[in-house]
Every structure is written in structure tokens, then in C-alpha cells.
């Protein structure tokens, strides 16, 4: 499992489609599809039901989406914390 695969899965689930996820991630739609396909293959699990141009999370996909929401929220908190620490360090160091 790679970070890029989880991120692609998360954005597809969040945005409701591969093209919308690709636009939000600033990558190509085939790139997003490949990341999700590889994640599904590596773990032998179907994360999305795909019918024509409509996708829906499977039960496994719903469970993974709950986990990726937490994962990316924590990632955001870490980024905010480190940004605050950097600002604090810069203020103290350059004062």
C-alpha cells in the first residue's frame, strides 16, 4: 500500500468520481484510476462498484473511507502543528 494509492482512493470517494478526484489532485484521470486499481489488486478487494459512469463505495470501500478520513485529518493536524512550531521558532530565533 502506498500513500499515493490511499490518497487517490480517498479523493475518488470524497469527490464522487475519478475525473473529479483527478481535477482536485491535479493529476490525470488515468493516473487516479491506476492508483485505485493497484490498491484493489494488491489487497484483492473491490472498493467501488462501477456501473457506466456511476460509482459507489462497496462495504469495504466505506470502511476504508472512514479510515482515510481519519488519516488525512491527522495529517492536516500534523501539518498545522509543524507550521505553528516553525513560526514560533522563527520568531524566537530571529528576534
Amino acid at each position: 500500500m502506498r500513500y499515493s494509492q490511499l490518497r487517490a482512493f480517498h479523493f475518488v470517494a470524497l469527490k464522487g468520481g475519478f475525473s473529479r478526484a483527478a481535477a482536485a489532485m491535479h493529476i490525470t484521470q488515468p493516473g487516479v484510476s491506476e492508483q485505485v486499481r493497484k490498491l484493489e489488486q494488491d489487497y484483492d478487494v473491490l472498493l467501488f462498484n462501477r456501473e457506466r459512469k456511476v460509482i459507489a463505495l462497496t462495504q469495504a470501500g466505506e470502511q476504508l473511507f472512514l479510515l482515510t478520513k481519519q488519516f488525512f485529518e491527522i495529517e492536516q493536524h500534523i501539518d498545522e502543528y509543524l507550521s505553528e512550531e516553525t513560526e514560533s521558532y522563527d520568531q524566537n530565533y530571529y528576534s
Side-chain angles (χ1 to χ4, degrees), residues 32-91:
V32 172
S33 295
E34 177 64 20
Q35 291 296 325
V36 173
R37 183 189 63 75
K38 184 75 170 124
L39 181 63
E40 290 177 321
Q41 283 182 343
D42 288 351
Y43 291 92
D44 193 27
V45 63
L46 184 64
L47 299 171
F48 295 100
N49 288 316
R50 298 159 175 90
E51 293 184 28
R52 297 182 191 168
K53 291 192 176 202
V54 178
I55 64 159
L57 287 166
T58 62
Q59 185 174 359
E62 289 176 10
Q63 292 298 313
L64 182 58
F65 188 46
L66 291 174
L67 293 170
T68 61
K69 280 183 191 178
Q70 293 174 6
F71 178 81
F72 289 111
E73 285 173 7
I74 290 169
E75 181 185 51
Q76 180 63 36
H77 291 308
I78 291 169
D79 183 59
E80 290 167 2
Y81 168 76
L82 291 174
S83 294
E84 290 170 7
E85 287 299 309
T86 300
E87 288 174 14
S88 175
Y89 175 79
D90 288 347
Q91 289 173 356

Side-chain angles (χ1 to χ4, degrees), residues 20-32:
R20 284 177 266 181
M25 296 172 69
H26 307 289
I27 63 174
T28 65
Q29 182 271 326
V32 172

